[in-house]
Amino acid sequence: MGEDRTIEEKRSAASRLVTRMLHGYFAISRGMTLGVRAACYDDAGRIFLVRHSYVPGWHMPGGGVERRETVLQALSKELREEGNLEMTGPAQLFHVYFNTRVSRRDHVLFYRVNVLQTAPRRPDLEIVESGFFALHDLPRGVTPATQRRLRELSGEVPPDDLW
């Protein structure tokens, strides 16, 4: 058990370093960083979550908005890349968050979307695990931010302005 905690602490420290380096690059190449993330629901009402290789925990899919890319183009691209997901209706903007945990210039547009998975998402170097989960049976390790977003979406708590 103690050995697992040490590995997880090292992975967490390494993931924080990689994240800071990426955002350092983004700070030079962009005036502000902007990301998209979505709560993706299938026809059964299950939510799609991903587990990345470079950060611990289960997250909703998403990523950065690139230059010359609209937020909806970025959202569609991230859903396709991270889950083989296609939106079956319009993306509904839920809230805009200021993500101070990553940098003092990062904002996340958070959407709610209904999706269809075109093919199972096979693990690779970025996404090591993914799947649809019933809201009452989420996998162990769902991040606190993901849990907060789900409570906000359900109306349990009001949306916070900070990610």
Side-chain angles (χ1 to χ4, degrees):
M1 190 79 173
E3 193 172 302
D4 289 340
R5 187 170 287 145
T6 303
I7 292 169
E8 190 63 33
E9 287 170 359
K10 287 178 185 176
R11 185 177 307 156
S12 182
S15 70
R16 283 193 305 272
L17 177 63
V18 168
T19 300
R20 287 187 190 271
M21 288 172 50
L22 284 172
H23 278 272
Y25 165 75
F26 294 149
I28 293 167
S29 66
R30 302 174 181 157
M32 176 184 79
T33 56
L34 180 64
V36 292
R37 194 165 293 270
C40 300
Y41 296 93
D42 68 4
D43 286 343
R46 299 175 304 166
I47 190 156
F48 186 80
L49 299 174
V50 298
R51 200 167 61 78
H52 295 93
S53 60
Y54 52 89
V55 290
W58 287 90
H59 305 261
M60 288 180 257
V65 178
E66 301 298 329
R67 286 188 174 156
R68 293 181 278 289
E69 182 177 56
T70 69
V71 294
L72 292 178
Q73 287 171 334
L75 181 63
S76 181
K77 175 190 70 178
E78 293 297 335
L79 299 184
R80 186 176 55 256
E81 289 176 356
E82 293 193 4
N84 294 327
L85 303 174
E86 288 184 5
M87 291 183 270
T88 59
Q92 300 167 347
L93 179 62
F94 180 76
H95 199 69
V96 178
Y97 298 88
F98 182 37
N99 190 0
T100 59
R101 293 184 59 166
V102 173
S103 81
R104 287 176 278 187
R105 304 159 344 109
D106 187 48
H107 290 78
V108 178
L109 282 72
F110 182 52
Y111 290 87
R112 187 200 187 289
V113 297
N114 293 323
V115 296
L116 173 69
Q117 189 171 45
T118 59
R121 174 62 161 86
R122 299 203 185 284
D124 61 21
L125 293 175
E126 180 188 6
I127 306 294
V128 295
E129 202 171 0
S130 65
F132 285 96
F133 300 92
L135 293 171
H136 66 275
D137 192 24
L138 297 174
R140 203 171 130 216
V142 172
T143 66
T146 299
Q147 292 174 13
R148 279 193 307 277
R149 299 299 80 84
L150 292 173
R151 286 195 306 275
E152 292 170 357
L153 282 164
S154 73
E156 221 178 292
V157 297
D160 192 340
D161 289 336
L162 300 177
W163 186 259

